[in-house]
Amino acid sequence: MNIYISIDMEGISGISSVSQTDPNNPRYKEGLYFMKRELEEIVKILKNFNVRKIVVNDAHWNMDNLNFIDLDLDIELISGSPKMLSMMEGINSNFDYAFFIGYHSSANTIHGFIDHTYSSLTISEIKINNRRVNEAYINGLIASYYNVPVGLISGDDKLFDECKNIFLDCEFVITKYSISRNAVKLKNPIIVYDDYKNAIEKVLNKKIKPLEIPKEFEIEITFRKTEMADIVEILPIVERIDGNKVKFKENDFIRAFRYIRVIINLARNA
Ligand SMILES: [Zn+2]
């Protein structure tokens, strides 16, 4: 069995402050400790269940948090950015399952711990076909594009609320309970690691289908500032619909995702 892991940081157990997820902050080393520890536990569990190949894509910030100097694991590691598929770089149809580890709720979630969608600085909200989406759904569509089901999602309880009616047979590990954007009640990481064991055992004995992929996509992006929409509307594919809102249509989700990435980068420089 081959498992693809996309690992973010905000939803990792033990992490209780945005400062622990910021590589420029002295407290980042605390966050990194928990991120590595959680990955080690997951890999150990997978190896115990005879999973042969594990590819881990570092999906947080500049995506170069993990390295082999202090990570003694039998995995392949995808590191750095930019990557064409970003948090999903390296996914392909050879994987049996994708796992989303340490994820978080979408931008504009009430009381969602460090809620954001791909870019805190630029994005207020992303809607796909008129529904607000989070990174898990966007990345789930990418996995499904390659016919890979999402087997496991971990993160805070608000993420679980957003995902439970979309990823129907998927297993969830709740790592913490959000109180507000910057406040959280942490589960004990030791309990969380145990939850992973149960969840992974269940996943490996299930048959989960990939998400159904819509035939066409209308992507609506709300920016933090109107000047971001001013620059993005120059892209011919984009239609301006409000002071800080644009939309575009695409039939192919990978193309749509690439547009989203380019749009975020344009907005960032506005
Ligand atoms: Zn992140």
Side-chain angles (χ1 to χ4, degrees), residues 67-99:
N67 63 62
F68 281 128
I69 292 174
D70 35 23
L71 203 62
D72 180 22
L73 296 174
D74 182 12
I75 58 168
E76 290 170 43
L77 178 64
I78 299 173
S79 172
S81 62
K83 298 177 280 205
M84 182 81 83
L85 291 182
S86 190
M87 299 177 82
M88 291 304 287
E89 186 65 29
I91 191 77
N92 63 52
S93 56
N94 294 324
F95 290 101
D96 296 285
Y97 281 115
F99 288 5

Coordinates of all heavy atoms in Angstrom, one line a residue, residues 67-99:
N67 N 13.2 18.0 7.7 CA 14.4 17.6 7.0 C 14.9 16.3 7.6 O 14.4 15.9 8.7 CB 15.4 18.7 7.0 CG 15.9 19.0 8.4 OD1 16.4 18.1 9.1 ND2 15.7 20.2 8.9
F68 N 15.8 15.7 7.0 CA 16.2 14.3 7.4 C 17.3 14.4 8.5 O 17.7 13.4 9.0 CB 16.7 13.5 6.2 CG 15.6 12.9 5.4 CD1 15.5 13.1 4.0 CD2 14.6 12.2 6.0 CE1 14.5 12.6 3.3 CE2 13.6 11.6 5.3 CZ 13.5 11.8 3.9
I69 N 17.8 15.6 8.8 CA 18.8 15.7 9.8 C 18.3 15.2 11.2 O 18.9 14.4 11.9 CB 19.4 17.1 10.0 CG1 20.1 17.5 8.7 CG2 20.3 17.2 11.2 CD1 20.6 18.9 8.7
D70 N 17.1 15.6 11.5 CA 16.5 15.1 12.7 C 15.2 14.3 12.5 O 14.4 14.3 13.4 CB 16.3 16.3 13.7 CG 15.9 17.6 13.0 OD1 15.4 17.5 11.9 OD2 16.1 18.6 13.6
L71 N 15.0 13.8 11.4 CA 13.9 13.0 11.1 C 14.3 11.6 10.5 O 14.7 11.5 9.4 CB 13.0 13.7 10.0 CG 11.5 13.4 9.9 CD1 10.8 13.8 11.2 CD2 10.9 14.2 8.8
D72 N 14.4 10.6 11.4 CA 15.0 9.3 11.0 C 13.8 8.4 10.6 O 13.4 7.5 11.4 CB 15.8 8.8 12.2 CG 16.4 7.5 11.8 OD1 16.6 7.2 10.6 OD2 16.7 6.7 12.8
L73 N 13.3 8.7 9.4 CA 12.1 7.9 9.0 C 12.2 7.3 7.6 O 12.9 7.9 6.8 CB 10.9 8.8 9.0 CG 10.4 9.4 10.3 CD1 9.3 10.4 10.1 CD2 10.0 8.3 11.3
D74 N 11.6 6.2 7.4 CA 11.6 5.5 6.1 C 10.5 6.1 5.2 O 9.4 5.5 5.1 CB 11.4 4.0 6.3 CG 11.5 3.3 5.0 OD1 11.9 3.9 4.0 OD2 11.1 2.1 5.0
I75 N 10.7 7.4 4.8 CA 9.8 8.1 3.9 C 10.5 8.7 2.8 O 11.7 8.8 2.8 CB 9.0 9.2 4.7 CG1 10.0 10.2 5.3 CG2 8.1 8.6 5.8 CD1 9.3 11.5 5.8
E76 N 9.7 9.2 1.8 CA 10.2 10.1 0.8 C 9.7 11.5 1.2 O 8.5 11.6 1.5 CB 9.8 9.7 -0.6 CG 10.5 8.5 -1.1 CD 9.9 7.9 -2.4 OE1 9.7 8.7 -3.3 OE2 9.7 6.7 -2.4
L77 N 10.5 12.6 1.1 CA 10.1 13.9 1.6 C 10.1 14.9 0.4 O 11.1 15.0 -0.2 CB 11.0 14.3 2.7 CG 10.7 15.7 3.3 CD1 9.4 15.8 4.0 CD2 11.8 16.1 4.3
I78 N 9.0 15.6 0.3 CA 8.9 16.7 -0.7 C 9.0 18.0 0.0 O 8.2 18.2 1.0 CB 7.6 16.6 -1.5 CG1 7.6 15.2 -2.3 CG2 7.5 17.8 -2.5 CD1 6.2 15.0 -3.0
S79 N 9.9 18.8 -0.3 CA 10.2 20.0 0.5 C 10.4 21.2 -0.4 O 10.9 21.1 -1.5 CB 11.5 19.7 1.3 OG 11.9 20.9 2.0
G80 N 10.0 22.4 0.1 CA 10.3 23.6 -0.5 C 9.1 24.2 -1.4 O 8.1 23.5 -1.5
S81 N 9.3 25.4 -1.9 CA 8.3 26.0 -2.7 C 8.9 27.0 -3.7 O 10.0 27.5 -3.3 CB 7.2 26.6 -1.9 OG 7.7 27.6 -1.1
P82 N 8.3 27.4 -4.8 CA 7.0 27.0 -5.2 C 7.0 25.6 -5.8 O 8.0 25.1 -6.3 CB 6.6 28.0 -6.3 CG 7.9 28.4 -6.8 CD 8.9 28.4 -5.7
K83 N 5.8 24.9 -5.6 CA 5.5 23.6 -6.2 C 4.2 23.8 -7.0 O 3.3 24.4 -6.5 CB 5.4 22.6 -5.2 CG 6.6 22.4 -4.3 CD 6.4 21.4 -3.2 CE 5.6 21.9 -2.0 NZ 5.9 21.2 -0.7
M84 N 4.2 23.2 -8.2 CA 3.0 23.4 -9.1 C 1.7 23.0 -8.3 O 0.8 23.8 -8.4 CB 3.2 22.5 -10.3 CG 2.0 22.6 -11.3 SD 2.2 24.0 -12.4 CE 3.3 23.3 -13.6
L85 N 1.7 21.9 -7.6 CA 0.5 21.6 -6.9 C 0.5 21.9 -5.4 O -0.3 21.4 -4.6 CB 0.2 20.1 -7.1 CG -0.2 19.7 -8.5 CD1 -0.5 18.2 -8.6 CD2 -1.4 20.5 -9.0
S86 N 1.5 22.7 -5.0 CA 1.6 23.2 -3.7 C 1.4 22.2 -2.6 O 2.2 21.3 -2.4 CB 0.5 24.3 -3.5 OG 0.7 25.0 -2.3
M87 N 0.4 22.3 -1.8 CA 0.1 21.4 -0.7 C -0.1 19.9 -1.1 O -0.1 19.0 -0.3 CB -1.1 21.8 0.2 CG -0.9 23.2 0.8 SD -2.4 23.6 1.8 CE -2.1 22.8 3.3
M88 N -0.3 19.7 -2.5 CA -0.6 18.4 -3.0 C 0.5 18.0 -4.0 O 0.3 17.0 -4.8 CB -1.9 18.4 -3.7 CG -3.1 18.5 -2.7 SD -3.1 17.2 -1.4 CE -3.6 15.8 -2.4
E89 N 1.6 18.6 -4.0 CA 2.7 18.3 -4.9 C 3.1 16.8 -4.7 O 3.2 16.3 -3.6 CB 3.9 19.2 -4.7 CG 5.1 18.9 -5.7 CD 4.7 19.3 -7.1 OE1 3.9 20.2 -7.3 OE2 5.2 18.7 -8.0
G90 N 3.3 16.1 -5.8 CA 3.7 14.7 -5.7 C 2.6 13.7 -5.7 O 2.8 12.5 -5.8
I91 N 1.3 14.2 -5.7 CA 0.2 13.2 -5.7 C 0.1 12.6 -7.1 O 0.4 13.3 -8.1 CB -1.1 13.9 -5.3 CG1 -2.3 12.9 -5.1 CG2 -1.5 14.9 -6.4 CD1 -2.2 12.2 -3.8
N92 N -0.2 11.3 -7.2 CA -0.5 10.7 -8.5 C -1.3 9.4 -8.2 O -1.6 9.1 -7.1 CB 0.8 10.4 -9.2 CG 1.7 9.4 -8.5 OD1 1.2 8.3 -8.1 ND2 2.9 9.8 -8.2
S93 N -1.7 8.8 -9.3 CA -2.7 7.7 -9.2 C -2.1 6.4 -8.6 O -2.8 5.5 -8.4 CB -3.3 7.4 -10.6 OG -2.2 7.1 -11.5
N94 N -0.8 6.4 -8.2 CA -0.3 5.2 -7.6 C -0.5 5.1 -6.1 O -0.2 4.1 -5.5 CB 1.3 5.2 -7.8 CG 1.6 5.0 -9.3 OD1 0.9 4.3 -10.0 ND2 2.7 5.7 -9.7
F95 N -1.1 6.2 -5.5 CA -1.4 6.2 -4.1 C -2.7 5.5 -3.8 O -3.7 5.8 -4.5 CB -1.3 7.6 -3.5 CG 0.1 8.1 -3.5 CD1 0.5 9.0 -4.5 CD2 1.0 7.7 -2.6 CE1 1.8 9.5 -4.5 CE2 2.3 8.2 -2.6 CZ 2.7 9.1 -3.5
D96 N -2.8 4.8 -2.7 CA -4.0 4.2 -2.3 C -4.9 5.2 -1.5 O -6.1 5.2 -1.5 CB -3.8 3.0 -1.4 CG -3.1 1.9 -2.2 OD1 -3.8 1.2 -3.0 OD2 -1.8 1.7 -2.1
Y97 N -4.2 6.0 -0.7 CA -4.9 7.0 0.1 C -4.0 8.3 0.3 O -2.8 8.2 0.3 CB -5.1 6.5 1.6 CG -6.3 5.6 1.7 CD1 -6.1 4.3 2.1 CD2 -7.6 6.0 1.4 CE1 -7.2 3.4 2.2 CE2 -8.7 5.2 1.5 CZ -8.5 3.9 1.9 OH -9.5 3.0 2.0
A98 N -4.7 9.4 0.4 CA -4.1 10.7 0.8 C -4.5 11.0 2.2 O -5.7 10.8 2.6 CB -4.5 11.8 -0.1
F99 N -3.5 11.4 3.1 CA -3.8 11.8 4.4 C -3.6 13.3 4.5 O -2.5 13.8 4.1 CB -2.9 11.1 5.5 CG -3.2 9.6 5.7 CD1 -4.2 9.0 5.0 CD2 -2.5 8.9 6.7 CE1 -4.4 7.6 5.2 CE2 -2.7 7.6 6.9 CZ -3.7 6.9 6.2

